[in-house]
């Protein structure tokens, strides 16, 4: 699985997971959007959920945007590619621990790898982070269930089932991926 990151550089460099991925040769960073290769763009504003069908369609490149959550607006995701939203997952990073939909760049890339049934790639990406294994442990059940889905509509059904079991607030349901 090829991992690429459009890097905006607006976060604390010491806490930036994308820069650490680059340091360990686990992802390629780009400072200009036109340099980013075509692939599956992890976009929380996308209309369709990421699913195993995306990798089955020959899209073996995953692209993430590394920016502050404050600047992660829809306009920030102007990259070429197939835009997909990650389904409900919980962050394990120290800044947003336990918060749904607040994943770091490495968590998002690792989640995509898991959904694409590339768990070894996910573990490899998370290896440089003390809390990396915690991300996989916290999200073990939903990641397993998502990886067993055929397409986006099944992902959304599993997400809805999982959220119903967790009894989330209405706000969480409004932030999740859709299958439109």
């Amino acid at each position: 699985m090829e991992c690429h990151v459009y890097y905006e550089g607006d976060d604390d460099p010491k806490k930036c997971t994308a820069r650490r991925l680059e340091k360990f040769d686990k992802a390629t960073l780009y400072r200009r959007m036109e340099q980013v290769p075509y692939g599956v763009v992890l976009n929380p504003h996308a209309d369709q959920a990421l699913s195993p069908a995306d990798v089955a369609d020959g899209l073996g490149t995953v692209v993430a945007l590394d920016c502050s959550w404050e600047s992660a607006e829809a306009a920030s995701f102007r990259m070429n590619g197939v835009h997909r939203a990650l389904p409900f997952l919980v962050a394990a990073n120290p800044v947003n621990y336990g918060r749904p939909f607040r994943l770091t760049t490495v968590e998002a890339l690792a989640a995509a790898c898991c959904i694409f049934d590339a768990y070894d790639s996910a573990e490899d990406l998370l290896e440089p982070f003390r809390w990396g294994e915690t991300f996989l442990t916290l999200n073990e059940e939903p990641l397993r269930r998502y990886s067993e889905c055929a397409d986006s509509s099944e992902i959304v059904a599993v997400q809805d089932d999982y959220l119903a079991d967790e009894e989330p607030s209405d706000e969480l349901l409004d932030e999740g991926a859709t299958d439109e």
Side-chain angles (χ1 to χ4, degrees):
M1 186 75 46
E2 288 184 34
C3 295
H4 299 271
V5 179
Y6 173 61
Y7 176 70
E8 290 205 342
D10 56 358
D11 280 337
D12 181 349
K14 293 176 184 167
K15 295 178 183 174
C16 180
T17 63
R19 287 175 56 126
R20 185 172 236 179
L21 287 174
E22 181 183 48
K23 177 181 175 183
F24 287 93
D25 293 323
K26 297 183 185 291
T28 305
L29 266 60
Y30 302 90
R31 271 112 177 132
R32 293 191 0 238
M33 198 169 293
E34 59 271 7
Q35 296 174 316
V36 179
Y38 186 89
V40 176
V41 178
L42 302 178
N43 179 347
H45 304 286
D47 291 332
Q48 194 169 344
L50 182 73
S51 77
D54 294 313
V55 79
D57 289 341
L59 297 170
T61 299
V62 181
V63 179
L65 168 66
D66 186 86
C67 68
S68 162
W69 275 103
E70 286 75 36
S71 63
E73 298 174 7
S76 300
F77 294 88
R78 300 179 307 275
M79 291 171 270
N80 288 327
V82 177
H83 289 246
R84 297 290 187 258
L86 287 170
F88 177 86
L89 294 165
V90 178
N93 67 80
V95 174
N96 288 308
Y97 183 86
R99 294 181 69 191
F101 302 108
R102 292 295 224 178
L103 308 182
T104 61
T105 301
V106 69
E107 288 171 315
L109 290 168
C113 289
C114 289
I115 291 169
F116 292 160
D117 202 26
Y119 287 90
D120 290 345
S121 295
E123 289 173 344
D124 185 55
L125 285 170
L126 292 164
E127 189 270 326
F129 302 89
R130 286 188 317 265
W131 44 265
E133 190 175 321
T134 303
F135 174 74
L136 295 175
T137 302
L138 277 176
N139 295 289
E140 182 177 8
E141 181 186 348
L143 285 170
R144 180 189 50 77
R145 291 177 68 192
Y146 296 146
S147 72
E148 295 168 352
C149 294
D151 58 26
S152 183
S153 61
E154 286 186 22
I155 292 278
V156 172
V158 168
Q159 172 184 263
D160 291 346
D161 183 51
Y162 185 73
L163 289 173
D165 289 346
E166 297 298 315
E167 298 181 25
S169 68
D170 290 339
E171 180 181 291
L172 289 180
L173 293 173
D174 291 341
E175 290 183 31
T178 67
D179 64 349
E180 298 174 4

